[in-house]
Amino acid sequence: QMYISESKSAGESVISERSLLSIATDHINSAGPDFIVGQPQKELFAKWNLLVGKEMANISNFGSALHYYEEGIRFIGDGVWLDEYITNGKKLCFGLYEGAAAASLATRKGDLVEYYTSFIFQHASFENSLPSWIILMLSIESSGRYNEVLEKGINLFRRLGFVIPLSPPGPTEIMASLLSTSQMASSFTLSQIVDSRHYPIDDHKRNLFKLYTALIISTYALSSPYLPLLSFEMVQYSLRNTVFTPESAVAFAALGYFKVILAQNYLRGKFWANVALEMLKNSRPISATVQVNFTVNAYIMTWFVPMRESSRKLFETYRLGMKVGDFTMSMYALGLSLRYALLEGENLSLISRSLKENLKKM
């Protein structure tokens, strides 16, 4: 009764002391939904679990986050997806299932990712389900099924209105796209882009770039020609819609990379690398941050700084990737960091020892 009497304040706002809400939720969970009378009360305690799950995810305790999301699902019941008369029922279900899928991804439980996202695909609109598609793609990528990720990602971009060729683009198409993108981008200065970083963007635009970044590793691993084509498309979209976020910075870093590799324009490549790094300033480190730093330090700035400096920067990128949970990009960064150190003249035995020590951490 004490917990029920406090339900208004606990359900509608996050209690300042995390432990208080989690302790109360643990007590309710130990009783279980069978001892709670009435659907509104079950909904309330499902919301408590959602709040605590989010708190756990925010401190990267994804195992506990998954536990609370699953407890919330146990209280809410599958039937709420179909009941239009329960207040916020679908919204609550969506939060719990999407949270459970994300926590399952972080804990590398691919079967659970597929299970929870399947409910969202069944009951949510395509626009609302896009973050769940991204979670599913990242889960599939972690198992090395890169072709499957690429196929899903390309199909999603087509559903979002992007014109993507059915067959992989050839050199002529890629160079034409690079030229048109370079012409559009040349009218923007660094200060124009930096000054626009804090413009608000909606979830639709942000999810588009998250979808793009979710394709980076798979297209990179496959050496897919869709990587430059999608990167140029996203740069153009960013410039047209004034979207300059850490996620869009990945596309600008890729533009810099392809200016170096395809056009041999090293100075413009460096320029776009600096633009991408500026977009990251004062932002919370995420997977996109790791992707930008990897691209810039592995393939662009190495033409301008000593190889030892590139090796050091890539090792920092590896550590950042481990911190944010991007283990695949971390391995790429570590591998190139040690390769550059070897080329710079570092002792092979020291490199071998460093590799073994860091692989243990993974």
Side-chain angles (χ1 to χ4, degrees), residues 21-266:
L21 180 58
S22 61
I23 291 171
T25 304
D26 286 341
H27 279 288
I28 295 296
N29 289 345
S30 65
D34 293 340
F35 291 89
I36 306 300
V37 178
Q39 186 64 26
Q41 289 297 332
K42 291 181 180 180
E43 234 188 294
L44 171 67
F45 298 132
K47 188 181 294 184
W48 284 21
N49 277 285
L50 176 62
L51 293 174
V52 179
K54 288 180 177 179
E55 290 176 350
M56 292 298 173
N58 287 337
I59 60 173
S60 299
N61 188 348
F62 296 108
S64 294
L66 178 59
H67 164 75
Y68 285 107
Y69 290 134
E70 290 181 327
E71 286 294 310
I73 291 170
R74 192 161 65 101
F75 274 91
I76 201 72
D78 295 341
V80 178
W81 283 107
L82 308 175
D83 194 336
E84 298 178 358
Y85 301 102
I86 297 178
T87 306
N88 294 325
K90 285 190 177 182
K91 183 178 179 181
L92 180 57
C93 276
F94 186 83
L96 287 167
Y97 276 81
E98 186 178 78
S104 299
L105 170 65
T107 52
R108 303 217 167 209
K109 297 178 179 177
D111 55 336
L112 289 182
V113 172
E114 293 190 23
Y115 174 76
Y116 289 120
T117 55
S118 67
F119 281 88
I120 295 173
F121 301 150
Q122 183 179 353
H123 298 290
S125 67
F126 171 66
E127 185 70 32
N128 289 333
S129 68
L130 190 55
S132 297
W133 279 110
I134 295 169
I135 291 171
L136 178 61
M137 287 168 55
L138 292 172
S139 177
I140 296 171
E141 172 207 283
S142 67
S143 64
R145 290 143 58 193
Y146 301 128
N147 282 301
E148 189 175 342
V149 174
L150 177 60
E151 182 181 356
K152 289 183 182 297
I154 294 298
N155 287 335
L156 289 171
F157 267 113
R158 291 192 183 113
R159 290 181 67 181
L160 289 163
F162 286 78
V163 180
I164 309 294
L166 294 175
S167 58
T172 302
E173 294 171 282
I174 292 173
M175 293 306 295
S177 183
L178 174 59
L179 178 60
S180 62
T181 303
S182 299
Q183 290 173 342
M184 175 186 287
S186 64
S187 61
F188 289 79
T189 64
L190 177 60
S191 60
Q192 283 178 304
I193 293 175
V194 171
D195 292 343
S196 304
R197 280 184 306 162
H198 305 297
Y199 287 6
I201 65 170
D202 57 39
D203 290 338
H204 173 77
K205 294 185 179 72
R206 191 176 298 278
N207 287 332
L208 275 178
F209 282 94
K210 287 183 177 180
L211 174 60
Y212 163 69
T213 59
L215 275 168
I216 289 293
I217 288 178
S218 293
T219 52
Y220 177 81
L222 294 169
S223 299
S224 171
Y226 282 114
L227 175 56
L229 190 70
L230 285 172
S231 298
F232 303 151
E233 284 281 344
M234 297 314 292
V235 168
Q236 292 188 34
Y237 183 91
S238 177
L239 295 172
R240 285 195 302 267
N241 295 276
T242 320
V243 181
F244 304 117
T245 65
E247 290 86 0
S248 64
V250 178
F252 283 90
L255 174 61
Y257 166 71
F258 289 115
K259 289 293 285 186
V260 169
I261 299 300
L262 298 180
Q264 287 80 53
N265 192 332
Y266 298 91

